[in-house]
Amino acid sequence: MSLGRHDLVLCSGTLPRSTPFRLRVEAAAAGGFRGLSLWGRDYAAARQEGWSDADLAGLLADHGVEVAELDPAWWWTPGAGAVTVPPELDPVDVFRFGEEDLFHVAAAVGARSLNAADVLGGRWGVEEAAEAFARLCDRAAEHGLLVHLEWLAWSRIPDMPTAVEVVRRADRPNGGLTVDLWHCARTGVTPGDLAALAPGTVLAVQVDDGPGRAEPDLVEATLHRRLVPGEGDFDVVGYLGALDAAHVDAPIGVEVFSDELHALGPLEAARRAGEATRAVLARVRPGPPSP
């Protein structure tokens, strides 16, 4: 199975963090998703439960679900690899999983890609970021992985033009962008901006929704108060139509970090997220993904 533009991906953050691996896969299949994303902590929890790599691969195959991406690649920016973050300062459990860890996970579950972002900041600029991103892409290519760069408003790569420039200067065939509609809305990206992207630039899409007015605390909002597509004020239809106009062939990830959605439990959260996304896609193009 090869994931493409008609396939939905259940992103890890759309389910409660404590969701076991088996239930993640079952929720993805029940919600009409062809893929899912994983964080290192999801894989580690499964191994602690006693699952072998072969068990995990078999479970995915039995449900017809692929691992679309691993999230996040945080160590690649200049100086980040030398930073040690103690567990008490890592509430989302990211920093104990480095490059070799995620490369191992990718091989174990047959992942398509890595999602990269600037998490630690620094004093580096676009040129240094591009060189570092190129090196990450080269190492990932040895493992058959794509790498897509996600901009975050509070980071050193704070907007789409900066991310595009990093990817352009890196100039790697397996490197591109992640377009997350939440970050589009919160950094002023318009559908026209997306439609103007060069073909092949976008390697991952993450859909979600939210209020038209930006929240006072963007980090808190993005991790706890996103909405499913179609339930907020974002121009989700316009954004997705623009990505089609730009000939984006990436699968559609549904990433809705939401305490309210999580309270429904994994199966209902996946069902709601999948149904809402298919309803929006039906307004964008014929032949929406089917469960």
Side-chain angles (χ1 to χ4, degrees):
M1 183 166 59
S2 179
L3 297 172
R5 64 188 288 268
H6 289 292
D7 297 313
L8 294 186
V9 172
L10 180 62
C11 292
S12 178
T14 302
L15 301 182
R17 176 172 165 177
S18 61
T19 305
F21 192 94
R22 174 187 284 278
L23 191 48
R24 289 182 180 275
V25 177
E26 292 174 349
F33 294 87
R34 301 290 300 281
L36 51 76
S37 79
L38 295 175
W39 289 40
R41 66 195 188 199
D42 302 325
Y43 171 82
R47 292 304 307 266
Q48 289 170 1
E49 290 172 8
W51 294 81
S52 69
D53 287 349
D55 292 334
L56 299 179
L59 180 66
L60 290 162
D62 289 345
H63 288 80
V65 174
E66 288 191 37
V67 175
E69 64 192 43
L70 303 178
D71 205 3
W74 60 268
W75 59 82
W76 64 277
T77 54
V83 174
T84 299
V85 179
E88 60 270 20
L89 298 179
D90 184 16
V92 292
D93 197 11
V94 166
F95 296 107
R96 68 183 173 110
F97 303 103
E99 180 168 288
E100 291 306 316
D101 298 309
L102 288 198
F103 283 165
H104 172 81
V105 177
V109 299
R112 169 183 179 269
S113 63
L114 292 178
N115 191 51
D118 165 40
V119 177
L120 294 176
R123 304 184 68 176
W124 40 268
V126 168
E127 186 58 40
E128 295 93 338
E131 292 170 358
F133 187 70
R135 291 192 294 270
L136 174 63
C137 289
D138 290 344
R139 296 191 299 272
E142 297 175 0
H143 299 269
L145 293 168
L146 303 174
V147 185
H148 30 84
L149 177 60
E150 183 173 6
W151 70 90
L152 311 174
W154 48 86
S155 74
R156 294 285 292 178
I157 303 175
D159 51 36
M160 192 176 81
T162 305
V164 168
E165 186 62 12
V166 170
V167 169
R168 186 191 70 80
R169 294 192 190 195
D171 191 24
R172 291 300 189 268
N174 64 325
L177 288 183
T178 301
V179 170
D180 183 328
L181 302 193
W182 199 92
H183 295 294
C184 287
R186 291 296 177 255
T187 59
V189 174
T190 68
D193 295 330
L194 295 182
L197 290 170
T201 300
V202 178
L203 298 181
V205 178
Q206 296 174 350
V207 301
D208 36 61
D209 213 329
R213 178 175 295 182
E215 303 86 349
D217 185 337
L218 292 181
V219 176
E220 190 277 337
T222 199
L223 291 176
H224 296 280
R225 292 192 282 124
R226 295 188 183 194
L227 301 175
V228 299
E231 292 190 358
D233 300 320
F234 296 173
D235 186 7
V236 179
V237 171
Y239 282 139
L240 291 175
L243 291 170
D244 276 2
H247 305 289
V248 172
D249 193 37
I252 305 295
V254 185
E255 186 176 60
V256 185
F257 293 99
S258 165
D259 294 350
E260 180 179 348
L261 188 66
H262 292 171
L264 301 177
L267 292 173
E268 180 62 14
R271 185 195 65 78
R272 275 195 59 194
E275 287 182 355
T277 304
R278 284 188 288 272
V280 170
L281 282 168
R283 298 166 57 194
V284 178
R285 62 197 187 199
S290 57

